[in-house]
Amino acid sequence: MLTSEDVDDAFDDEAFMEERFSDVQRLLLGRGPALGPETPVLLPATHCRLTVGPHAYGPFGRCFAVRLDPGADQPAPRVELLLADDGSLLGLVDAGALDGWRGAIPSGLAARYLAPPAPSLLGLFGSGEPAWSCLLVLHRALPSLSEVHVVGRDPAQARDLAAAAALRTGLRVRMSEDARATAADADVVATTGGHPHVRVEWLAAGALLIDQSATDPPAAAGPAVRHISLVPPRGPADRHVSPVPPPSPAADTRPEPLPLAEIVAGRALPRRSGADIVHYQGGELAGWSAIAVAAGLGHAWQRDVGTPVRLGRGSP
């Protein structure tokens, strides 16, 4: 069984993270394993929502993940990893921490392709689980980072995150109460929810905005902005995948975003000029969730991270 701290220990490993960057890159280029869709399962007698993932290679062969999202009066959501052959339970994971890492790792790969040269200052908007995993991933993905300014709705929570991040990463991390100044000074801005909305025109020329939440679109007279998405806009055939929250009505005027795969494959450049701001929008990449769960639990097993759980007649 992995707690949120165990998930951090398993994922925040340089070699492991590089392998996951490679997994995401292969999926973007169509060279990854052919994984099926996630399947929602109705449980009429309960208030729980169950989602069964496709088979993926795990620590003991082919396995699949089941996500349980309970009702308001139930414990926190969790993810279970089961052996494909007989359904044996291999592991339990705190879903909140896992979601943070699952969303952050594609953003880390995107940052390597989209960030300006040698970025040093990260503006981090948000102070919850997604912000924590995003910061640790970007620390690995962008070695030139030396300073982080954290903006959150709750100053005390943002201050606590900054202190913990400084100890974990060795970077200079501090809490900031000025959202606009933080965005203007940063080479890379990451928005993870639970914070004041960032306006793209606040950013300096050439900066990168990693958008994992709703960000206000630029004004008509604003700077040149290049919109890039993790995945192309979804059609009717893709509705089985959990959708990204829809943008605000004002965002409908944006030009069609360029898929990240076009840049990864070398068919497009992230900027038309060095002054362009790049606005990267995260999303759900088909197959990535199953790979992340199986790889994370397998790595935790190899490193002996987590708490053994005994099942069956002999269980206490």
Side-chain angles (χ1 to χ4, degrees), residues 19-223:
E19 291 174 359
R20 304 293 74 77
F21 287 154
S22 296
D23 287 337
V24 173
Q25 182 163 306
R26 282 192 288 268
L27 289 173
L28 287 172
L29 297 176
R31 299 171 186 165
L35 301 178
E38 294 184 344
T39 306
V41 178
L42 298 178
L43 301 175
T46 73
H47 296 289
C48 298
R49 184 175 61 191
L50 200 67
T51 305
V52 181
H55 289 183
Y57 184 78
F60 298 101
R62 293 189 68 78
C63 56
F64 62 96
V66 175
R67 181 187 177 100
L68 181 63
D69 290 295
D73 58 343
Q74 300 294 322
R78 69 176 184 267
V79 174
E80 301 177 357
L81 189 69
L82 307 177
L83 195 63
D85 289 344
D86 58 7
S88 299
L89 179 62
L90 301 178
L92 304 170
V93 189
D94 171 61
L98 184 63
D99 286 347
W101 284 97
R102 184 174 54 84
I105 287 178
S107 294
L109 177 70
R112 286 190 166 171
Y113 283 93
L114 306 177
S120 62
L121 177 58
L122 168 66
L124 181 66
F125 285 70
S127 55
E129 288 274 14
W132 175 254
S133 50
C134 184
L135 189 154
L136 296 182
V137 167
L138 292 178
H139 173 232
R140 298 283 189 185
L142 303 173
S144 60
L145 287 179
S146 60
E147 189 170 358
V148 181
H149 296 174
V150 181
V151 179
R153 291 193 186 279
D154 183 346
Q157 186 180 32
R159 192 175 293 108
D160 290 344
L161 184 144
L167 289 175
R168 180 99 179 199
T169 64
L171 301 174
R172 298 191 300 274
V173 189
R174 68 174 180 84
M175 187 270 290
S176 171
E177 295 182 345
D178 191 332
R180 184 162 188 162
T182 297
D185 293 339
D187 303 301
V188 177
V189 173
T191 69
T192 63
H195 54 76
H197 282 185
V198 175
R199 294 198 65 87
V200 177
E201 55 265 34
W202 291 355
L203 276 68
L208 165 65
L209 172 60
I210 296 173
D211 191 352
Q212 296 184 185
S213 61
T215 294
D216 291 345

Side-chain angles (χ1 to χ4, degrees), residues 217-220 227 247-256:
H227 296 284
S248 61
D252 293 340
T253 59
R254 296 183 190 181
E256 191 74 10

